[in-house]
């Protein structure tokens, strides 16, 4: 259901926002050596895994290990390092290697463009239909309020292709191809973006599909296949984790009108209701870039992600006290829920009819 | 430069290390390995003077990575330290040792800045806490305050306080090059106890060839820097090529004394501006040259009010589209109330309001 059970009064929303601000402030004041040491350790592991992966391609029997190592390296680079560094989570350190303005990730989407579409558009307009382009990535029907069209019969297929080619989907995402088809965006607007993407694509393809394979000489095809597999593994992993963040059952979407003149409390409220977590162990959280704590991430996108598990119990408690949902579940459950939604929305149905506001009485406010 | 280094600097290796760059891998093995960036290890920390009740001065000897391209006497370097292992802060320091070649050790000499609390001041950290073995980050040497290749027959050097460091570097270079001309070296210090490099200057005065050293302490009755006194010391001083470095009042006195003469070359580091109180002072956007009285609003709004169009996104501090460098002053984060006075700091201008004077690179 995509209804928003807006149950808080303006006063309650204000108190809710103030509590979240207090949590944020406490963590900001506490940032220091432990956070710096942590992210440096993750970077070190990522570099080690990458070098080990590239090296093991010279010993064909180790091919599966090489792929595993390189896949893990790419996952760490994209999730716990790239995504979080580009959110400015480590800018306070003043280290150019960990700066949101400098970091470039191992992905065909140029970081500069991704920061615009993700940090700005997605994180500002989270789950607002028509504003948040992460809903369906411009190709899928992921919400009942997206009007159905026969094109969407292919929803499961498109989702599968998006998963396999996820990094390419993310890069294309910025071009807003669907808006060009609709005629609301002109081709000229894409020229600079297009050049940036091509530059990055060339660099990524050159090393993964030409230079490193060539360096292994006669093993060229094996290494090429290994590098392609590592990219695929990273794509599948990233897609699945990210789709669990906003699309499982119980996550709310919002209309533009609902979000006009939002207060800080309302903004937090929308971030909370628009996100979903995944439960798991410590290593799992690291490999998701702590996006398994999507709720905490959307409330505080600029806090170092390693802090999310630490504050999650407080957020959960806060939700209980305010009688707000805290959407979380095991990876399998959340994935199944997302898959069901993708299949169900391939068919006509949903639409505004299902958006019956559940709130009643004058106390309720539109979030 | 060995074959390995040539190889590591090649385009092929850069392509293999894309998108991170070679140095990001090398530093994981040994922080002193680099092919593009410059880093250095602290070799020695020597206290120069330590007057009770005054901030101590120390000379730090640095062993740079092989990427250090050397420096010319009088130049400075940006030096960044990670204070308490997390926050890197960068400040500019003059090199105090003579000309260096690529990869050579060099020294900086600095006074601990006690105006800032511990943990915020780079100089205080370097003088009081840094230990041999610690790693620092460097820029290449910068600045045009240098002697020409053909050193003039007569050179006048005037410095005050810690402004002695670049001219000391020049004097030491001239000594090493066995300059056969004449050098008049004038330095103002608060008292003889505050005089750094006193022994070395004394040795140069006694045994150096053609070097006149004048160490002055006006508080103890020594003559102040006036045109009359300068003219008595060096007749026709306005015609003598002069290199001078010191605090603002000295720079002002020299400008007046030289009256626009092109023989005067000045080096002058502005002390950090500090100010308290909310909507006071002036906000300056250095790249565009726009400036106005601080209204207390976030910097993005103040920039827009001046007709600038800085990049922005969410306008609520979450997306980092508007990050800019604040070069001077204090800002308060309007969301958290946290204030910060670090120079050359990246800030989100949409949620940063200046407290007093503030300069932003926009």
């Amino acid at each position: 259901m995509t209804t928003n059970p807006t149950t808080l009064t303006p006063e309650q929303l204000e108190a809710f926002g103030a509590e979240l601000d207090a949590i944020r402030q406490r963590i900001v004041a506490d940032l220091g050596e432990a956070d710096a040491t942590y992210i440096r350790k993750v970077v070190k592991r990522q570099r080690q895994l990458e070098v080990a992966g590239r090296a093991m391609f010279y010993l064909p029997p180790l091919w599966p290990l090489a792929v595993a190592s390189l896949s893990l390296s790419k996952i760490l680079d994209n999730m716990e390092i790239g995504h979080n560094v580009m959110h400015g989570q480590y800018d306070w350190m003043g280290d150019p290697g960990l700066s949101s303005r400098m970091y470039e990730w191992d992905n065909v989407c140029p970081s500069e463009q991704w920061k615009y579409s993700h940090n700005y558009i997605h994180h500002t307009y989270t789950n607002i239909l028509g504003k948040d382009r992460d809903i369906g990535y411009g190709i899928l029907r992921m919400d009942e309020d997206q009007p159905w069209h026969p094109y969407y019969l292919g929803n499961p297929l498109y989702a599968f292709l998006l998963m396999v080619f996820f990094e390419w989907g993310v890069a294309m995402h910025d071009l807003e191809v669907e808006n060009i088809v609709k005629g609301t965006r002109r081709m000229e607007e894409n020229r600079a973006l297009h050049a940036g993407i091509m530059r990055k694509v060339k660099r990524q393809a050159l090393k993964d599909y030409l230079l490193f394979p060539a360096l292994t000489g006669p093993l060229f095809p094996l290494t090429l296949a290994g590098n392609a597999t590592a990219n695929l593994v990273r794509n599948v992993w990233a897609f699945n984790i990210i789709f669990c963040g906003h699309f499982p059952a119980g996550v709310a979407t919002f209309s533009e009108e609902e979000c006009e003149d939002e207060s800080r409390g309302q903004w937090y409220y929308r971030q909370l209701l628009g996100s979903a977590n995944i439960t798991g162990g410590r290593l799992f959280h690291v490999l998701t870039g702590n996006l398994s704590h999507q709720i905490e991430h959307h409330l505080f996108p600029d806090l170092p992600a390693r802090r999310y598990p630490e504050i999650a119990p407080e957020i959960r408690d806060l939700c209980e006290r305010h009688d707000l949902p805290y959407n979380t579940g095991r990876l399998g459950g959340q994935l199944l829920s997302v898959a069901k939604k993708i299949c169900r929305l391939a068919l006509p149905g949903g639409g505004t009819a299902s958006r019956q506001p559940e709130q009643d009485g004058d106390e309720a406010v539109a979030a | 430069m060995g074959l390995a280094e040539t190889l590591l600097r090649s385009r092929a290796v850069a392509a293999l290390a894309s998108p991170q760059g070679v140095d990001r891998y090398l530093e994981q093995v040994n922080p002193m390995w680099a092919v593009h960036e410059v880093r250095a290890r602290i070799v020695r920390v020597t206290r120069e003077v330590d007057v009770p009740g005054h901030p101590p001065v120390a000379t730090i000897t640095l062993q740079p990575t092989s990427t250090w391209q050397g420096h010319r006497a009088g130049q400075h370097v940006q030096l960044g330290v990670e204070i308490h292992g997390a926050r890197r802060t960068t400040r500019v320091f003059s090199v105090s040792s003579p000309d260096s070649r690529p990869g050579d050790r060099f020294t900086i000499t600095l006074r601990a800045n006690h105006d800032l609390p511990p943990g915020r001041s780079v100089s205080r950290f370097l003088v009081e806490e840094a230990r041999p073995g610690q790693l620092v980050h460097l820029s290449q040497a910068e600045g045009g305050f240098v002697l020409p290749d053909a050193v003039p027959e007569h050179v006048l050097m005037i410095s005050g306080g810690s402004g002695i460091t670049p001219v000391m570097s020049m004097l030491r270079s001239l000594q090493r090059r066995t300059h056969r001309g004449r050098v008049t070296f004038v330095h103002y210090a608060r008292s003889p106890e505050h005089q750094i490099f006193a022994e070395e200057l004394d040795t140069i005065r006694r045994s150096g060839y053609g070097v006149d050293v004048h160490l002055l302490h006006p508080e103890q009755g020594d003559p102040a820097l006036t045109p009359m006194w300068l003219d008595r010391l060096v007749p026709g001083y306005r015609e003598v090529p002069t290199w001078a470095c010191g605090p603002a009042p000295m720079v002002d006195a020299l400008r007046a004394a030289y009256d626009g003469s092109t023989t005067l070359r000045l080096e002058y580091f502005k002390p950090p501006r500090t100010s308290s109180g909310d909507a006071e002072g002036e906000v300056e956007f250095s790249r565009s040259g726009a400036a106005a009285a601080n209204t207390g609003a976030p910097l993005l709004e103040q920039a827009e009010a001046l007709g600038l169009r800085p990049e922005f996104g969410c306008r609520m501090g979450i997306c980092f589209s508007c990050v800019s460098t604040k070069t001077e002053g204090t800002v308060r984060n309007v969301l958290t109330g946290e204030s910060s006075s670090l120079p050359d700091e990246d800030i989100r201008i949409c949620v940063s309001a200046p407290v007093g004077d503030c300069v932003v690179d926009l």
Side-chain angles (χ1 to χ4, degrees):
Chain A
M1 294 295 283
T2 60
T3 49
N4 311 322
T6 318
T7 50
L8 301 186
T9 63
E11 292 74 34
Q12 286 170 324
L13 273 173
E14 196 178 323
F16 172 72
E19 272 194 71
L20 287 167
D21 276 341
I23 293 173
R24 182 176 191 283
Q25 235 155 305
R26 197 189 71 220
I27 302 291
V28 167
D30 188 48
L31 293 180
E33 194 166 1
D35 303 272
T37 307
Y38 169 80
I39 191 65
R40 291 198 170 122
K41 203 172 107 192
V42 176
V43 169
K44 195 176 187 80
R45 286 280 168 279
Q46 183 268 322
R47 306 283 192 262
Q48 286 168 339
L49 284 165
E50 179 176 4
V51 172
R54 305 274 187 205
M56 282 189 287
F57 280 121
Y58 286 91
L59 294 165
L62 295 182
W63 191 89
L65 258 180
V67 172
S69 189
L70 192 56
S71 304
L72 279 174
S73 148
K74 283 175 181 273
I75 284 169
L76 282 178
D77 172 89
N78 281 191
M79 315 281 285
E80 183 72 336
I81 306 168
H83 171 269
N84 292 333
V85 165
M86 285 192 268
H87 263 294
Q89 292 180 1
Y90 298 95
D91 277 13
W92 54 273
M93 286 170 62
D95 180 341
L98 295 167
S99 152
S100 65
R101 289 215 269 183
M102 321 271 242
Y103 200 83
E104 189 56 78
W105 59 351
D106 186 332
N107 189 298
V108 293
C109 181
S111 63
E112 205 50 51
Q113 294 178 25
W114 182 82
K115 276 183 283 181
Y116 174 82
S117 61
H118 180 84
N119 289 12
Y120 170 36
I121 301 294
H122 170 59
H123 272 271
T124 309
Y125 304 112
T126 309
N127 280 27
I128 300 178
L129 272 174
K131 291 282 248 179
D132 182 2
R133 299 192 58 262
D134 278 28
I135 301 176
Y137 286 78
I139 48 175
L140 302 177
R141 183 169 183 244
M142 290 307 298
D143 192 87
E144 286 134 345
D145 282 349
Q146 286 172 279
W148 185 82
H149 182 276
Y151 160 86
Y152 288 122
L153 286 170
N155 226 26
L157 175 68
Y158 311 147
F160 178 77
L161 291 174
L162 180 60
M163 174 175 81
V164 172
F165 299 104
F166 192 54
E167 64 172 326
W168 301 90
V170 171
M172 296 281 289
H173 184 46
D174 297 342
L175 296 174
E176 304 189 24
V177 176
E178 81 281 9
N179 288 333
I180 289 190
V181 174
K182 276 191 226 154
T184 54
R185 186 181 168 88
R186 291 179 306 128
M187 276 299 265
E188 291 83 78
E189 293 177 59
N190 275 356
R191 205 153 284 155
L193 291 180
H194 192 257
I197 295 172
M198 282 318 291
R199 219 174 11 248
K200 189 74 194 293
V201 165
K202 272 185 203 154
R203 274 186 212 152
Q204 289 295 111
L206 181 69
K207 65 165 182 161
D208 276 347
Y209 303 133
L210 191 67
L211 290 178
F212 276 113
L215 280 176
T216 55
L219 300 170
F220 188 104
L222 266 182
T223 311
L224 174 77
N227 291 349
T229 311
N231 280 329
L232 173 72
V233 170
R234 182 268 321 273
N235 283 354
V236 171
W237 177 255
F239 170 91
N240 281 298
I241 296 305
I242 287 157
F243 268 59
C244 285
H246 298 287
F247 305 129
V251 169
T253 55
F254 304 81
S255 68
E256 284 183 52
E257 301 77 62
E258 280 176 301
C259 306
E260 272 169 23
D261 301 320
E262 253 179 351
S263 68
R264 191 154 173 80
Q266 283 169 321
W267 184 82
Y268 274 133
Y269 174 87
R270 173 162 58 84
Q271 301 299 335
L272 170 75
L273 264 66
S275 310
N277 281 6
I278 315 168
T279 56
R282 208 167 148 238
L283 182 62
F284 172 75
H285 291 315
V286 173
L287 291 177
T288 66
N290 276 298
L291 291 181
S292 45
H293 289 95
Q294 191 73 247
I295 293 175
E296 288 73 22
H297 174 57
H298 262 269
L299 294 171
F300 311 116
D302 60 339
L303 288 187
R306 69 181 285 269
R307 299 289 190 147
Y308 298 152
E310 169 188 336
I311 55 177
E314 286 176 71
I315 306 293
R316 212 173 170 151
D317 171 63
L318 181 69
C319 289
E320 271 167 31
R321 279 188 283 116
H322 286 87
D323 200 21
L324 294 170
Y326 184 89
N327 194 332
T328 185
R330 292 164 55 104
L331 179 64
Q334 297 290 61
L335 276 179
L336 193 67
S337 169
V338 173
K340 272 191 197 159
K341 188 184 252 183
I342 289 171
C343 293
R344 183 167 50 81
L345 292 177
L347 302 169
T352 41
S354 74
R355 286 176 62 85
Q356 289 302 327
E358 285 177 10
Q359 72 267 33
D360 52 353
D362 296 328
E363 280 188 341
V365 292
Chain B
M1 191 166 74
L3 178 66
E5 263 177 84
T6 314
L7 203 64
L8 286 169
R9 281 193 187 133
S10 68
R11 285 181 62 180
V13 170
L16 291 171
S18 169
Q20 314 299 350
V22 184
D23 284 344
R24 295 272 89 84
Y25 292 88
L26 293 177
E27 71 181 355
Q28 298 295 338
V29 187
N30 181 339
M32 287 298 282
W33 287 359
V35 293
H36 301 292
E37 290 174 10
V38 195
R39 293 186 275 269
R41 207 180 270 296
I42 295 175
V43 177
R44 210 170 23 252
V45 181
T46 317
R47 281 288 166 102
E48 291 289 348
V49 290
D50 212 343
V51 184
H54 290 279
V57 176
T59 290
I60 317 260
T61 308
L62 297 166
Q63 173 59 58
T65 47
S66 60
T67 41
W68 172 252
Q69 289 167 3
H71 87 284
R72 294 182 67 176
Q75 286 192 304
H76 53 259
V77 64
Q78 292 181 43
L79 186 148
V81 292
E82 256 132 38
I83 298 173
H84 305 142
R87 287 177 166 85
R88 188 187 304 180
T89 310
T90 301
R91 294 303 279 151
V92 172
F93 299 103
S94 296
V95 180
S96 51
S97 51
D99 301 321
S100 67
R101 284 162 309 161
D104 274 357
R105 282 186 184 183
F106 64 92
T107 65
I108 55 167
T109 303
L110 60 151
R111 184 188 306 279
N113 177 357
H114 277 211
D115 296 342
L116 291 170
R120 287 291 169 97
S121 163
V122 179
S123 58
R124 192 166 180 180
F125 177 81
L126 285 171
V127 171
E128 295 173 359
E129 289 184 60
R131 295 284 168 267
Q134 166 140 23
L135 205 77
V136 297
H137 304 266
L138 295 176
S139 68
Q140 294 290 359
E142 297 165 347
F145 182 73
V146 292
L147 292 170
D149 289 333
V151 182
E153 171 55 28
H154 184 190
V155 176
L156 176 55
M157 294 177 182
I158 306 172
S159 59
S162 45
I164 194 172
T165 47
V167 287
M168 193 64 194
S169 173
M170 290 179 183
L171 184 64
R172 285 167 165 169
S173 292
L174 291 179
Q175 291 286 299
R176 201 164 69 176
R177 282 195 231 163
T178 58
H179 171 66
R180 286 296 170 214
R182 194 176 145 207
V183 179
T184 308
F185 190 95
V186 178
H187 179 70
Y188 283 91
R190 195 187 293 249
S191 75
E193 292 79 52
H194 282 91
Q195 179 64 52
I196 50 177
F197 309 130
E199 259 176 58
E200 188 180 347
L201 285 168
D202 196 47
T203 310
I204 292 175
R205 189 174 54 80
R206 283 185 286 109
S207 58
Y209 180 90
V211 186
D212 299 323
V213 178
H214 303 269
L215 303 180
L216 301 150
H217 314 290
E219 282 177 17
Q220 299 185 352
D222 285 336
L225 192 65
T226 59
M228 211 169 51
W229 180 76
L230 267 175
D231 208 42
R232 204 172 332 138
L233 186 72
V234 183
Y237 68 91
R238 284 195 189 87
E239 308 304 318
V240 179
T242 305
W243 278 263
C245 182
M250 168 183 262
V251 169
D252 293 341
L254 278 166
R255 281 212 178 102
Y258 275 74
D259 194 24
S261 166
T262 52
T263 58
L264 176 67
R265 288 129 177 120
L266 283 167
E267 178 86 324
Y268 149 49
F269 297 109
K270 276 189 285 179
R273 283 201 252 172
T274 48
S275 171
S276 58
D278 255 338
E280 284 176 0
E282 189 177 71
V283 176
E284 184 188 330
F285 298 99
S286 50
R287 218 182 312 153
S288 59
N294 173 18
T295 64
L299 282 160
L300 175 59
E301 288 172 30
Q302 298 203 41
E304 288 174 337
L306 285 171
L308 306 186
R309 291 283 165 266
E311 202 177 311
F312 66 85
C314 64
R315 301 186 81 102
M316 57 195 297
I318 59 166
C319 79
F320 285 72
S321 304
C322 66
V323 171
S324 303
T325 308
K326 175 205 71 186
T327 49
E328 288 177 41
T330 303
V331 292
R332 187 174 49 85
N333 183 319
V334 297
L335 299 179
T336 63
E338 197 193 17
S339 67
S340 136
S341 309
L342 292 178
D344 296 319
E345 183 184 26
D346 282 353
I347 54 164
R348 286 165 276 178
I349 56 173
C350 69
V351 291
S352 299
V355 181
D357 286 339
C358 188
V359 183
V360 181
D361 179 33
L362 265 177

